[in-house]
Amino acid sequence: MIVERKSTEIRQEQIKQAVLDIIFSDGLKNLSTRNLARQIGMSEGTIFRHFPTKQDIILSIIKDVQEEFIGSLRYIANSNKEPEQRLQEFICKTVEYLSNKKGITMLLFSEASHNNDVILKNSLMLIFNSQKNLVSKIILDGIAMEKWDGDIPVENIAMLYMGIPVSLNIELTLSAGEFHVNDFCNKMFSLMIKILKNS
Amino acid sequence: MIVERKSTEIRQEQIKQAVLDIIFSDGLKNLSTRNLARQIGMSEGTIFRHFPTKQDIILSIIKDVQEEFIGSLRYIANSNKEPEQRLQEFICKTVEYLSNKKGITMLLFSEASHNNDVILKNSLMLIFNSQKNLVSKIILDGIAMEKWDGDIPVENIAMLYMGIPVSLNIELTLSAGEFHVNDFCNKMFSLMIKILKNS
DNA sequence: TATATTTGTAAGCAAATACATACATACATA
DNA sequence: TATGTATGTATGTATTTGCTTACAAATATA
C-alpha cells in the first residue's frame, strides 16, 4: 500500500481543521479520535504521532485563536484610524474569522466553563476578556474624541457585544451555505453605531 | 439496607437538577450516568427506572425550559403593562431563571447545533426564536406607542439580546457565589432602554 | 548507495460508556 | 393480612473511548 507522507506541520493543520469541522457538524461529543481519523482518511495512530494527546489538539487550536484572531483584533483596536472605522473592521474581522472556522464558537463556549485543565480555562477567559477589553478601548477612544455619548456604560456594551458570535452561530447553523459575511457584520456595525451616537 | 423510596416525579426532579449541576460544574462531557448516580446517591439502575434513556433526561429538561421559562417570558411579553416595565421584567426573568439553573445555558448552546435527534434540534431552535420574537414584540409595542425610536432595527437588537445569557454565564463562572441577579439585570435593562430611547 | 530518522499503519489495551437483567424490598389497596 | 405493583440495587454486557505498541515503508543525509 502506497502511503502519502506529509510534514508534521501539514498534518497538524489537517487535524485541527478536521476537529473544527466535526465540532460544527456533529458536535463536541462526536469528536472521538477514531471519528477524527476517519474524517481525514488516516489511521488513528497517525493523530498521536503528531499530537501527544487529544487535549493538545484543542490547546493548539485555542493558541491559534489567541495569536491569529485576538492578535488581529488587537492590531485593529490599537491602530490610529477613526474609532468608527476601527469598530467596523473589528466587527467584520470577528464575523469573518468565526465563519471561516465555524467550530470555534462552540468550542470556546462549551469548553469554557468546565475542563479541569487550568491552562486551558485561563486561556479561554483571556480570550473573552481580550475581546471585551478591545471593544471597550475603541468605544472609550470614540468617547474621548467626543464622537460618541459619554454617558454610555461601556462595560455593559462590551457584554452585549458577545451576542454577536452567538447570533452568528445560530445564523450559520440555520442558513446552510447561503450566508453573507458583509451583510451580517454591516448590520451589526450599524446597530452599534446607533447605540453609541450622541442623543 | 434501608432504602428511602420516592415517587417518580421527585426522582425525576432530582435527576434533572443533578444533570444541570454537573453540566455547570464539570461540563457536558463529564455527564455520565455513573457520575450522575453517584452525585445523587442512588444506583445507576434507578436512573433508568425513571428515565428510559439519558437523552430523555435532556429532552425533559428542554421541555421544562419551554414550559416554565419561555412560558413565563411569553406571559410577560403579552401582558398589558407598559413596554418599559415588560422589558424590565423580561430581562430580570431571564437572568433569574438562568442563574437558578446554571447548567441550562451551556446545555442549550452546546447541544444546539449538532445532535442527530431532530425533535431536540427543533426544540432548541424554537427556544432561541421564541426569545427573539418575544423581545421583538415588546420593542415593537413600544415603538407603536411612540415611546421608542421607530428607526431601530428591531430584529438586530433582539440578536444582540442573546449576548445577555452568554455574558451572564461568563460572570457566573467567574464570580463564585457572589453574584447579584438584580444588579446584573438592571444594568442590562438600563442599557437596553438607552438604546431604544428616541434620539 | 547505505544508514538514520521520520511518518505511516494495524492491532490491541484498559477504562469508561449507556444501558439491561435478575432479583429484593417497600408500600398501597383488596 | 395477603398480594400486586412501583421503586430500589448489584452485577453484567456490548461498545466506544483515548492511547500504545510493534513494525513497515518513505525520505533525508552521509
Side-chain angles (χ1 to χ4, degrees):
Chain A
M1 186 183 182
I2 297 157
V3 207
E4 260 202 84
R5 300 180 56 167
K6 311 224 164 128
S7 70
T8 295
E9 290 77 43
I10 291 180
R11 287 299 190 202
Q12 285 180 339
E13 282 311 309
Q14 277 185 23
I15 293 168
K16 285 191 282 186
Q17 187 55 54
V19 162
L20 292 178
D21 291 346
I22 289 175
I23 291 178
F24 184 71
S25 57
D26 306 320
L28 247 180
K29 77 172 174 200
N30 291 86
L31 182 70
S32 66
T33 50
R34 204 142 309 190
N35 196 351
L36 185 53
R38 186 160 34 81
Q39 164 118 355
I40 316 174
M42 59 169 58
S43 85
E44 222 183 324
T46 307
I47 292 173
F48 290 95
R49 172 119 298 163
H50 299 293
F51 283 103
T53 69
K54 185 188 163 187
Q55 179 81 326
D56 280 286
I57 309 177
I58 307 289
L59 274 167
S60 177
I61 293 176
I62 303 286
K63 206 178 156 201
D64 289 347
V65 173
Q66 278 187 35
E67 288 170 8
E68 297 168 19
F69 179 46
I70 301 297
S72 55
L73 289 187
R74 180 168 293 115
Y75 180 81
I76 292 170
N78 291 325
S79 85
N80 49 15
K81 295 180 182 165
E82 292 290 296
E84 187 153 333
Q85 197 186 338
R86 271 186 274 161
L87 186 62
Q88 184 178 27
E89 289 176 12
F90 194 93
I91 296 176
C92 286
K93 169 57 79 177
T94 301
V95 176
E96 181 206 318
Y97 190 86
L98 297 182
S99 39
N100 274 340
K101 307 205 169 187
K102 296 194 175 67
I104 288 279
T105 308
M106 264 179 55
L107 178 68
L108 294 181
F109 283 120
S110 51
E111 206 78 354
S113 8
H114 59 87
N115 212 308
N116 345 17
D117 187 339
V118 182
I119 300 174
L120 178 53
K121 198 165 177 170
N122 288 343
S123 301
L124 291 165
M125 284 306 159
L126 197 69
I127 288 174
F128 288 124
N129 285 330
S130 299
Q131 276 182 277
K132 231 173 84 174
N133 293 338
L134 292 172
V135 182
S136 298
K137 188 206 166 359
I138 298 177
I139 297 175
L140 287 170
D141 285 353
I143 292 174
M145 294 168 74
E146 293 184 0
K147 291 182 176 274
W148 293 330
D149 183 0
D151 293 336
I152 287 168
V154 179
E155 169 88 356
N156 298 346
I157 287 201
M159 287 182 89
L160 270 196
Y161 184 85
M162 300 306 286
I164 293 181
V166 176
S167 303
L168 171 62
N169 217 49
I170 296 173
E171 291 273 306
L172 283 174
T173 310
L174 288 173
S175 68
E178 42 180 326
F179 177 80
H180 298 107
V181 170
N182 280 338
D183 288 359
F184 187 89
C185 80
N186 284 327
K187 268 194 295 185
M188 287 299 158
F189 171 65
S190 313
L191 183 56
M192 290 291 284
I193 288 300
K194 167 128 191 38
I195 297 173
L196 296 167
K197 277 263 173 68
N198 279 299
S199 44
Chain B
M1 188 184 182
I2 297 158
V3 208
E4 260 202 85
R5 302 180 59 168
K6 312 221 165 132
S7 70
T8 296
E9 291 76 43
I10 291 180
R11 286 301 190 201
Q12 285 180 337
E13 281 312 310
Q14 278 184 23
I15 293 168
K16 286 191 280 185
Q17 187 55 54
V19 163
L20 292 177
D21 291 346
I22 289 176
I23 290 178
F24 184 71
S25 57
D26 307 321
L28 246 178
K29 78 172 173 201
N30 291 90
L31 181 69
S32 66
T33 50
R34 201 148 317 199
N35 197 348
L36 185 53
R38 186 159 35 81
Q39 165 116 355
I40 316 174
M42 60 171 57
S43 85
E44 221 181 325
T46 307
I47 292 174
F48 290 96
R49 172 81 55 202
H50 300 292
F51 284 104
T53 69
K54 183 187 164 189
Q55 179 80 326
D56 280 286
I57 309 177
I58 306 289
L59 274 167
S60 177
I61 293 176
I62 303 287
K63 207 178 155 199
D64 288 349
V65 173
Q66 278 186 35
E67 287 170 8
E68 297 169 20
F69 179 46
I70 301 297
S72 55
L73 289 187
R74 180 168 295 118
Y75 180 81
I76 292 169
N78 291 324
S79 86
N80 49 15
K81 293 179 183 166
E82 293 289 295
E84 187 154 333
Q85 197 186 339
R86 272 186 273 162
L87 186 62
Q88 184 178 26
E89 289 176 11
F90 194 92
I91 296 176
C92 286
K93 170 56 78 179
T94 301
V95 177
E96 181 206 317
Y97 190 85
L98 297 181
S99 38
N100 274 340
K101 308 205 168 187
K102 295 193 175 66
I104 287 278
T105 308
M106 264 178 55
L107 178 67
L108 293 181
F109 282 118
S110 50
E111 206 75 358
S113 8
H114 59 86
N115 212 306
N116 345 17
D117 188 336
V118 181
I119 299 175
L120 178 52
K121 198 165 178 171
N122 288 343
S123 301
L124 291 164
M125 284 306 157
L126 197 69
I127 288 175
F128 288 125
N129 285 330
S130 299
Q131 274 183 276
K132 230 173 84 174
N133 293 338
L134 292 172
V135 181
S136 298
K137 188 207 166 356
I138 297 178
I139 297 175
L140 287 170
D141 284 353
I143 292 173
M145 292 167 75
E146 292 184 1
K147 292 183 176 275
W148 293 330
D149 183 359
D151 293 336
I152 287 169
V154 178
E155 170 88 356
N156 299 345
I157 287 201
M159 287 181 89
L160 271 196
Y161 183 85
M162 300 307 285
I164 293 180
V166 175
S167 302
L168 171 63
N169 216 48
I170 296 173
E171 291 273 305
L172 283 173
T173 310
L174 289 172
S175 68
E178 41 180 326
F179 177 80
H180 297 106
V181 170
N182 279 339
D183 289 0
F184 187 89
C185 81
N186 283 328
K187 269 195 294 185
M188 287 298 158
F189 171 64
S190 313
L191 183 56
M192 290 290 284
I193 288 299
K194 168 132 191 38
I195 297 172
L196 296 168
K197 276 263 173 68
N198 281 300
S199 45

